[in-house]
Amino acid sequence: MHDDRSLVEARLRRVLDERVRPAVYPESVPLDVAVWHAPGEPVPVAEGLAAEPGPIEVGARWGAPWGTSWFRVTGTVPEEWAGRTVEALLDLGFDENMPGFQCEGLVYRPDGTPVKGLNPRNQWVRIGAPVAGGEQVRLHIEAASNPVILDYHPFRPTWLGDKDTAGHEPQYTLTRMDLAVFDETVWQLVLDLEVLGELMAELPADAPRRWEILRAVERALDAIDLQDVNGTAGQARARLTDVLSVPAAPSAHRISAVGHAHIDSAWLWPLRETVRKVARTTANMTALIEDEPDFVFAMSQAQQWAWVKEHRPEVWARVKKAVADGRFVPAGGMWVESDTNMPGSEAMARQFVHGKRFFLDEFGIENDEAWLPDTFGFAAGLPQIIRAAGSTRLLTQKISWSQTNKFPHHTFQWEGIDGTRIFTHFPPVDTYNCSMKGSELAHATRNFKDKGRARHSLAPTGWGDGGGGTTREMVAKAARVRDLEGSPAVVWETPAEFFEKAEAEYADPPVWVGELYLELHRATLTSQARTKQGNRRSEHLLREAELWATTAAVRTGFPYPYEELDRIWKTVLLHQFHDILPGSSIAWVHREARATYQRVAAELDGIIDAAQRALAGQGTRSLVFNSAPHSRHGIPAGGAGEEEPPGEVTISERPEGGRILSNGLLRIEIDARGLVVSVYDLAADRESVAPGTAANLLQLHPDFPNMWDAWDVDAFYRNAVTNLTDLDSLTVGEEGHSVRIMRSFGSSGVTQVLSLPPGERRLLIDTEVDWHETEKFLKLAFPLDLHADRYASETQFGHFHRPTHTNTSWEAAKFEACNHRFIHLDEPGWGVAIVNDSTYGHDVTRTVRTDGDRGTTTTVRVSLLRAPRFPDPETDQGVHRFRHALVPGAGIADAVREGWRINLPERRVAGGHEVAPLVTVDDDAVVITAVKLADDGSGDVVVRFHEAHGGRARATLTAGFEVAGAEVTDLLERPLPDLPEWAGNRVCVRLRPFELVTLRLARV
């Protein structure tokens, strides 16, 4: 037989494109269209419906950037269409290649009832099936003219990312507003041919099944009269029945399709637009659920559910019904799909507390999985947090984006820093926007790493980011491949149903220990520094507010601000979303975030001040409140008193130029360039700075990644570097124990204050940068005289180690990594910590000196600022302030303590008496991360703590109040079977390395 395969396949493509698809709507009549453009921000639905529109024609331009236009479409169904299915085709000017990244609409009936969303791949509204003929049609469309930010030429700077700079030029052309006859037989034929054509293309060229499909398709095409597709579509479908009925092989891969619409809570659009994206998508999905009995849809991010409840009550009613029917499924159990690298310990815990509690309160549903398909890597402390929230599973997709190494598993156990393991699945379909294409399903089958031991994988199916979610076409294609030879077997299932099957078949999966590092998007640890500083500051202010409000409530009857703290926590958690905190959103998002963080800080400062004044009482004594979990200057953790007198600091001229600072513990030499050439630990008789080098060295790199400007820094950035050594001035500070250094570079300037506090073993470095560079990367370097093959990096509820060498490609790929408050390096008996108040990105490298002592120089470089131009062309322009400290002679305990200290400075309040801590613990290895009143309003005191040094601990926790009962709880403050050892107001605890415990203490 002659090989005519290519001929038939080309014929299929052309007939589908030019004849069959156009015949889905064989007849149409135009609708009358009018429009009203809202003058500013979006208006309430009632106002949009009531507005008087003006005329507009198809082909006209509409929609200024970020505008809202209310279209009214009216018409009459022709009498001759009686008995047929009729739909409105409403094309706002969509580009089908950009679902979720351009204009969108939500269709309403005249009474304000939402119908469904309009999106590039979802432009129809059902009018009747069948119609009687003569029906009057009147629909309203709330249309958002969101501009295209990520265009066909991606990553080019644009001013469209903020309504203040976007201008007023119309963005879209109204393309089609018609009533049309919908021919379901032709539509079904399209899907038959698409499924078979896509399946055929994935089968081997010499496979019998491929040729069987080819011949069936050929016979179907022969049956189509190209001048009468609608009249012959049924005959064509009949010729495909047999080939579509051959069941899948018993060994076929099994795919659980989960209806999905990954919606970034902010990204290339502001938060307010996400509220509407969610409303459009949920309206779409509840409508699809009503039409498709097998379909199930899962939506994560409790914040987005809360938005629907607050802003679209009509849609919320439909959502609640679908949830009750088991078809619309809450997923993930987090407030938002947050970044997991940068949020602090308590914040990461509260993501689950607030997310799970919302779903429990609204629906009585508890999620057993964390659902984070798009997050940029996963911190090693996360498994314990997931488990402490009552969940046991994780789903993510993003690690498949790694540039260098292919992750070896798709289903596995992920082990965190404390030994907790979480059953984890990476969908091998390698997308969280699966559309049921044959190529996607075949890729999932081929790609699945656990073949032979497991057979199940999950496919999140639907267009995200305002693309409208799952389409009826996806559902129809899934029905055809439910049991079809050559294809994996697809069934609609909930996440829980998938995980139950996956766990049952894979009783002993492989284990991955430590962080799930994404070998991409590393620059998100630095971009938009003010957003990151706002987050870090908010986290610590919340700790202070809860600690002092709780102490004051127990001691003085101070009214505990339950509602205020709940609201503020949710605000901070929202801004930890994985395109806000990482700095990868448009300018509008970060402008609003800065303002929000300022409001949060002001409100929390007010709560803290009021609580501390209530505790201090009347008087003139200068009381210092210590919010850190360790005592300092004689003031206990969580208490207030008068400071012990500090020691002295001397400052002198350095013979070679510069200054020398000394406080009896450290001796610091600053040379004439303003660089730190010696940090000498006097007690240990040990130098910190590597010979021939200088610390506090600012270094500037070019920074123009190949893609994803705000997200990425590529390894080649290191190939060129400028050391900023030119000095404008070096002066001694007025307080007598600091040196002030000023430099200029490019269009920017930097001022640093290096200070040696009396009686302390730390060099404080305050850096102010007036930043006006573009496409540059600013680092602060500390070359240390240390031989270390690994270093410790703080993460949630502990720390973990990364190598300093690059023996393997896995290690080399971690050339930019995340830490929280500290980095620690050591040799046996002596180490150095570098702590910070707001930075996350860093790199650590090592070299062996070839001359002199041939020792090892281990260099830590803190990432300060970047200047990408996409998606925000003015990223981080302006003034920034950072605080770091170099702590010589530090053990891991010192690193933990100093990390807390630099983030929780003392507060001074005039008062009449000292304040004893509400709760104390007798082992510094046990760190209290939260003291608060129970969320249920009972007045119980909740204390959360963990072992922070990486060893075992036995400690006694003492309450400064009478205790009526004590119990160990999960993060949601629900009792666990573990019974604490307690007597009176003392609780004895035994902790394994990094173990996290939540203790609930009932008050007498």
Side-chain angles (χ1 to χ4, degrees):
M1 181 182 292
H2 298 299
D3 185 351
D4 61 349
R5 176 173 52 85
S6 298
L7 188 69
V8 176
E9 290 171 354
R11 180 188 179 193
L12 171 61
R13 287 192 294 271
R14 185 175 186 192
V15 170
L16 258 176
D17 288 343
E18 297 185 24
R19 292 293 188 272
V20 184
R21 288 193 184 99
V24 171
Y25 293 102
E27 300 176 55
S28 65
V29 295
L31 288 160
D32 294 322
V33 190
V35 66
W36 174 72
H37 303 294
E41 283 294 277
V43 300
V45 173
E47 184 177 341
L49 293 174
E52 187 60 36
I56 188 172
E57 299 290 334
V58 168
R61 299 285 290 170
W62 71 277
W66 307 114
T68 301
S69 298
W70 283 84
F71 291 93
R72 185 186 67 196
V73 295
T74 55
T76 304
V77 177
E79 298 284 353
E80 59 270 25
W81 289 0
R84 304 171 78 177
T85 298
V86 174
E87 294 181 344
L89 300 181
L90 308 173
D91 186 344
L92 300 172
F94 296 123
D95 180 341
E96 291 191 359
N97 296 317
M98 291 187 179
F101 297 95
Q102 54 177 252
C103 59
E104 302 167 40
L106 182 55
V107 179
Y108 295 89
R109 296 186 179 92
D111 64 358
T113 304
V115 181
K116 65 186 293 289
L118 292 179
N119 314 94
R121 302 290 182 95
N122 204 329
Q123 303 176 20
W124 57 273
V125 176
R126 180 64 57 89
I127 301 301
V131 296
E135 291 95 335
Q136 296 298 308
V137 175
R138 183 187 178 100
L139 298 170
H140 298 262
I141 307 166
E142 181 191 18
S145 50
N146 302 332
V148 175
I149 305 294
L150 193 65
D151 211 333
Y152 287 101
H153 300 285
F155 317 120
R156 291 188 176 176
T158 174
W159 296 102
L160 291 171
D162 195 327
K163 64 177 181 178
D164 291 344
T165 60
H168 304 283
E169 185 71 21
Q171 299 292 295
Y172 297 99
T173 300
L174 197 62
T175 301
R176 184 176 187 181
M177 294 276 148
D178 288 346
L179 286 178
V181 172
F182 175 72
D183 190 327
E184 184 167 354
T185 302
V186 176
W187 182 79
Q188 297 283 5
L189 176 60
V190 168
L191 294 162
D192 290 344
L193 292 173
E194 283 185 354
V195 166
L196 291 171
E198 291 166 4
L199 173 58
M200 183 169 54
E202 298 301 322
L203 295 172
D206 58 355
R209 174 64 169 162
R210 179 163 183 162
W211 287 89
E212 290 171 2
I213 295 172
L214 185 81
R215 293 303 165 213
V217 167
E218 184 178 39
R219 290 191 295 271
L221 295 176
D222 289 343
I224 298 173
D225 181 343
L226 298 182
Q227 278 67 51
D228 186 16
V229 174
N230 300 88
T232 55
Q235 300 170 35
R237 290 202 72 205
R239 295 189 179 188
L240 298 172
T241 300
D242 290 343
V243 76
L244 282 167
S245 301
V246 182
S251 61
H253 185 65
R254 309 289 173 176
I255 292 180
S256 297
V258 178
H260 187 240
H262 172 77
I263 302 179
D264 288 306
S265 289
W267 179 28
L268 304 181
W269 47 86
L271 286 167
R272 66 90 156 144
E273 192 56 33
T274 313
V275 175
R276 302 200 296 174
K277 284 177 179 281
V278 174
R280 298 173 198 125
T281 299
T282 51
N284 260 0
M285 294 301 92
T286 52
L288 190 62
I289 284 170
E290 292 172 1
D291 293 339
E292 301 289 349
D294 293 331
F295 175 65
V296 293
F297 180 77
M299 190 169 89
S300 66
Q301 306 193 72
Q303 171 69 88
Q304 296 187 0
W305 292 70
W307 279 334
V308 178
K309 180 181 180 182
E310 178 183 357
H311 297 283
R312 289 293 193 271
E314 306 88 354
V315 179
W316 179 248
R318 289 162 54 174
V319 168
K320 289 187 70 174
K321 180 182 182 304
V323 171
D325 293 340
R327 307 279 304 286
F328 199 117
V329 182
M334 296 174 68
W335 190 247
V336 295
E337 289 182 12
S338 73
D339 179 83
T340 75
N341 285 313
M342 290 176 282
S345 303
E346 265 309 300
M348 200 75 255
R350 304 297 177 97
Q351 285 286 352
F352 288 90
V353 169
H354 287 282
K356 297 195 80 170
R357 188 168 286 145
F358 180 88
F359 294 137
L360 282 164
D361 290 347
E362 294 294 335
F363 308 112
I365 291 174
E366 181 160 8
N367 309 100
D368 200 32
E369 76 288 332
W371 185 274
L372 291 163
D374 190 29
T375 299
F376 309 151
F378 300 87
L382 188 57
Q384 180 175 207
I385 298 171
I386 295 173
R387 182 78 67 168
S391 297
T392 60
R393 300 158 173 168
L394 168 68
L395 179 136
T396 184
Q397 179 66 66
K398 204 67 174 189
I399 301 300
S400 69
W401 286 40
S402 286
Q403 289 177 314
T404 305
N405 297 287
K406 189 78 171 177
F407 197 80
H409 317 296
H410 281 106
T411 303
F412 60 99
Q413 292 277 7
W414 178 28
E415 182 178 316
I417 56 175
D418 73 314
T420 297
R421 292 182 176 180
I422 296 295
F423 189 83
T424 303
H425 181 66
F426 294 173
V429 71
D430 279 352
T431 177
Y432 39 82
N433 295 297
C434 177
S435 62
M436 284 290 128
K437 284 184 178 178
S439 58
E440 295 169 334
L441 302 180
H443 176 75
T445 301
R446 289 192 297 263
N447 188 41
F448 188 49
K449 298 291 186 183
D450 302 283
K451 288 188 287 285
R453 299 188 68 188
R455 295 174 59 196
H456 286 82
S457 70
L458 185 146
T461 302
W463 301 115
D465 285 331
T470 316
T471 66
R472 62 183 178 183
E473 288 78 15
M474 296 175 194
V475 176
K477 292 175 93 167
R480 286 162 171 78
V481 295
R482 184 182 182 94
D483 188 13
L484 182 63
E485 184 186 357
S487 170
V490 177
V491 60
W492 294 104
E493 291 187 307
T494 66
E497 289 169 333
F498 159 75
F499 274 110
E500 287 167 6
K501 291 180 179 179
E503 288 181 309
E505 73 175 358
Y506 211 179
D508 188 25
V511 177
W512 182 270
V513 178
E515 67 180 329
L516 293 170
Y517 179 91
L518 177 63
E519 298 170 355
L520 190 75
H521 293 358
R522 303 167 180 88
T524 57
L525 302 172
T526 305
S527 297
Q528 298 286 1
R530 293 186 189 91
T531 299
K532 291 170 172 57
Q533 290 176 324
N535 173 73
R536 178 76 72 86
R537 183 70 177 133
S538 296
E539 289 179 348
H540 288 86
L541 285 171
L542 278 160
R543 170 195 169 82
E544 290 188 84
E546 289 183 339
L547 169 65
W548 300 120
T550 301
T551 306
V554 173
R555 295 273 169 75
T556 73
F558 179 82
Y560 191 80
Y562 289 101
E563 292 183 3
E564 294 90 338
L565 290 172
D566 180 78
R567 172 176 46 78
I568 294 170
W569 263 117
K570 288 173 180 175
T571 298
V572 173
L573 298 178
L574 167 59
H575 286 78
Q576 292 178 340
F577 178 74
H578 66 252
D579 276 308
I580 304 178
L581 179 55
S584 46
S585 288
I586 56 174
W588 190 346
V589 174
H590 292 288
R591 172 171 57 79
E592 289 190 330
R594 292 192 292 272
T596 297
Y597 284 130
Q598 288 176 353
R599 290 193 299 272
V600 163
E603 190 167 0
L604 290 173
D605 277 331
I607 293 171
I608 294 164
D609 182 69
Q612 290 179 339
R613 291 186 183 281
L615 287 164
Q618 297 296 316
T620 58
R621 296 172 62 186
S622 178
L623 300 175
V624 175
F625 280 76
N626 177 17
S627 302
H630 309 91
S631 63
R632 54 191 181 194
H633 296 313
I635 301 169
E642 294 179 282
E643 278 187 312
E644 296 175 348
E648 293 184 355
V649 176
T650 64
I651 186 165
S652 60
E653 294 279 348
R654 184 171 177 268
E656 302 91 335
R659 296 289 189 277
I660 298 174
L661 301 175
S662 180
N663 66 358
L665 300 173
L666 299 178
R667 181 176 183 272
I668 313 296
E669 292 191 34
I670 303 165
D671 72 6
R673 302 169 297 172
L675 302 179
V676 176
V677 293
S678 175
V679 178
Y680 204 81
D681 182 346
L682 295 170
D685 191 22
R686 173 76 184 255
E687 176 61 63
S688 307
V689 180
T693 68
N696 189 44
L697 174 63
L698 290 162
Q699 296 184 304
L700 194 65
H701 294 271
D703 185 18
F704 189 64
N706 289 344
M707 298 175 66
W708 299 105
D709 295 41
W711 295 255
D712 281 356
V713 56
D714 290 326
F716 53 73
Y717 87 92
R718 291 180 171 178
N719 296 347
V721 60
T722 301
N723 292 330
L724 304 181
T725 58
D726 291 342
L727 188 67
D728 293 347
S729 65
L730 187 155
T731 56
V732 175
E734 293 180 2
E735 72 286 350
H737 58 257
S738 69
V739 172
R740 182 182 181 89
I741 299 154
M742 300 183 70
R743 307 182 193 278
S744 301
F745 61 95
S747 301
S748 304
V750 59
T751 299
Q752 290 186 296
V753 176
L754 277 59
S755 57
L756 185 59
E760 297 180 10
R761 300 169 56 87
R762 57 177 182 153
L763 172 64
L764 279 174
I765 303 169
D766 289 287
T767 303
E768 179 181 291
V769 186
D770 189 4
W771 182 244
H772 297 285
E773 307 305 302
T774 58
E775 296 167 353
K776 295 290 192 295
F777 196 4
L778 184 64
K779 292 259 188 178
L780 181 62
F782 299 89
L784 304 173
D785 190 12
L786 268 171
H787 179 82
D789 60 2
R790 67 175 193 169
Y791 70 96
S793 173
E794 190 187 28
T795 189
Q796 292 100 2
F797 297 110
H799 61 268
F800 70 105
H801 291 91
R802 294 189 185 97
T804 60
H805 56 75
T806 55
N807 283 355
T808 70
S809 59
W810 294 87
E811 292 151 355
K814 296 182 180 181
F815 58 81
E816 184 79 4
C818 182
N819 69 287
H820 286 188
R821 287 167 294 221
F822 71 79
I823 291 169
H824 179 256
L825 305 93
D826 66 355
E827 296 173 359
W830 193 86
V832 174
I834 296 172
V835 299
N836 72 83
D837 74 344
S838 60
T839 56
Y840 297 91
H842 69 275
D843 67 86
V844 179
T845 56
R846 63 198 298 271
T847 58
V848 174
R849 302 188 285 273
T850 57
D851 55 0
D853 65 355
R854 294 186 296 172
T856 301
T857 299
T858 304
T859 301
V860 177
R861 298 197 310 159
V862 176
S863 302
L864 296 183
L865 289 166
R866 299 183 68 236
R869 299 183 65 205
F870 180 88
D872 177 1
E874 291 195 317
T875 301
D876 276 335
Q877 300 299 293
V879 176
H880 302 267
R881 295 176 180 85
F882 308 95
R883 170 167 277 199
H884 295 83
L886 180 69
V887 189
I892 197 69
D894 301 299
V896 172
R897 182 187 66 251
E898 294 298 335
W900 279 101
R901 179 177 190 168
I902 202 170
N903 283 274
L904 287 167
E906 298 93 337
R907 292 176 183 262
R908 287 173 168 77
V909 175
H913 53 80
E914 295 183 351
V915 179
L918 190 65
V919 179
T920 61
V921 64
D922 64 358
D923 185 345
D924 272 357
V926 178
V927 170
I928 295 174
T929 59
V931 177
K932 58 188 290 293
L933 290 189
D935 290 340
D936 61 8
S938 63
D940 292 352
V941 174
V942 173
V943 184
R944 189 145 36 244
F945 52 90
H946 71 288
E947 196 288 319
H949 296 172
R952 295 188 179 267
R954 176 183 173 87
T956 299
L957 185 143
T958 303
F961 55 91
E962 291 188 56
V963 175
E967 58 186 6
V968 176
T969 73
D970 66 4
L971 293 179
L972 276 70
E973 301 168 9
R974 300 173 298 191
L976 296 174
D978 308 324
L979 295 176
E981 302 176 33
W982 72 280
N985 65 339
R986 297 177 182 269
V987 181
C988 294
V989 294
R990 302 170 186 264
L991 301 179
R992 64 179 183 273
F994 302 127
E995 183 178 2
L996 162 66
V997 174
T998 303
L999 196 65
R1000 181 169 181 150
L1001 305 175
R1003 293 155 57 196
V1004 173

